[in-house]
Amino acid sequence: HNRPYSLPPTTNRRGIPTPATLHKNFWFALTFLAMSSSPPGVAHKIARPNILSLKPYRCARDDYDSGILLDANENALGPAATPPGDDGNHLDLERYPCPYQEKLKLLYCAYRNVGGTSGLVPENVFAGVGSDEAIDLLMRIFCVPGASEGQGDSILCTPPTYGMYGVCAVTNDVGVLKVPLTASFELETARVVAAEAAAGGRCKLIFVCSPGNPTCRAVPLSEVEKLSDAVGDRCLIVVDEAYVDFCVDERGSATGL
């Protein structure tokens, strides 16, 4: 469904420690992973046909994960340096980590599920190398290029907002629809819905940055739900919550929707 997620800090407000790897360079989006769910959801319906028919790259670690893995081309001499107190190199820093980030996803779900509001499971978590990768992948998966020729799909964003939405769109030759926030940095949901409808089914992603960058203002969850209900299965709502842990009110996160 229309529910992407963000990053936790090293320690959350409830005093529960989280690993340093869960830094803001990891931006989590659940949106397009709905393609693998059953029955197919919105993401499966609007994803590009070539993506749906794509045979994923098969990692050698699917078959072999122990012994001398020559195919990995890893450093045979060990890391150049180890953390203080780790004389035995227990972290195996010269080895590639699990390609599926299983431990990281489990820790993230445990963090987000405190309070029992989201029911997040590792199978529905994507760990990106920074938010830019996740944003770029969303456009590759859902948007047909062609903006430079007056064709193809588009995204919608609400400036002032995170600049990489537009940068990634131009890089992927995807159109950009803009519906500015109000003078007090509020989302004009009715205008966003109207702009999406006017695109005639070619708007595939609506980016809602909450709390906003650079506005610092969170979008009420009621507005996110209203927007989702209005666009239905025509496009995905991507709630970028990279700074959600700065929200005082726990209800600021869309993970519970």
Side-chain angles (χ1 to χ4, degrees):
H1 298 328
N2 296 328
R3 297 184 300 171
Y5 297 85
S6 66
L7 57 135
T10 303
T11 304
N12 67 21
R13 347 181 240 291
R14 294 178 292 273
I16 299 174
T18 56
T21 49
L22 293 179
H23 185 263
K24 74 176 184 177
N25 281 338
F26 289 90
W27 185 83
F28 297 77
L30 300 186
T31 311
F32 61 88
L33 295 187
M35 288 191 293
S36 63
S37 63
S38 180
V42 177
H44 190 283
K45 179 177 180 180
I46 71 172
R48 295 169 60 185
N50 61 304
I51 299 297
L52 293 175
S53 62
L54 180 67
K55 183 178 180 180
Y57 167 76
R58 183 173 177 81
C59 177
R61 299 294 77 76
D62 292 336
D63 300 313
Y64 306 99
D65 59 4
S66 62
I68 301 176
L69 307 173
L70 294 179
D71 67 292
N73 198 24
E74 296 169 325
N75 181 0
L77 303 178
T82 56
D86 189 28
D87 296 333
N89 186 28
H90 299 110
L91 295 179
D92 291 328
L93 296 178
E94 78 280 16
R95 304 302 181 198
Y96 283 113
C98 171
Y100 304 110
Q101 307 94 29
E102 294 171 348
K103 292 182 179 179
L104 176 65
K105 292 176 181 179
L106 284 169
L107 288 168
Y108 180 74
C109 289
Y111 169 80
R112 278 291 171 222
N113 289 336
V114 171
T117 58
S118 67
L120 193 58
V121 294
E123 291 78 8
N124 289 333
V125 174
F126 167 79
V129 184
S131 61
D132 297 354
E133 183 194 24
I135 294 168
D136 179 71
L137 286 174
L138 284 167
M139 294 186 194
R140 292 195 201 187
I141 292 170
F142 296 109
C143 300
V144 175
S148 60
E149 299 178 355
Q151 303 177 17
D153 293 328
S154 62
I155 66 164
L156 187 150
C157 60
T158 57
T161 190
Y162 185 42
M164 285 305 296
Y165 306 145
V167 171
C168 287
V170 173
T171 302
N172 287 287
D173 199 16
V174 170
V176 181
L177 306 176
K178 298 181 180 180
V179 178
L181 301 173
T182 68
S184 56
F185 302 134
E186 294 178 335
L187 183 69
E188 293 201 85
T189 305
R191 291 187 59 203
V192 172
V193 172
E196 182 277 328
R202 305 306 293 180
C203 178
K204 296 300 176 64
L205 301 170
I206 296 178
F207 286 92
V208 177
C209 192
S210 178
N213 175 5
T215 67
C216 301
R217 181 152 192 167
V219 177
L221 294 183
S222 59
E223 290 301 307
V224 175
E225 291 187 287
K226 186 185 301 183
L227 180 59
S228 179
D229 291 340
V231 302
D233 59 1
R234 296 191 301 272
C235 70
L236 292 174
I237 312 300
V238 182
V239 185
D240 184 347
E241 296 187 343
Y243 300 97
V244 73
D245 290 286
F246 288 102
C247 286
V248 176
D249 192 336
E250 188 66 25
R251 292 172 296 176
S253 174
T255 55
L257 294 181

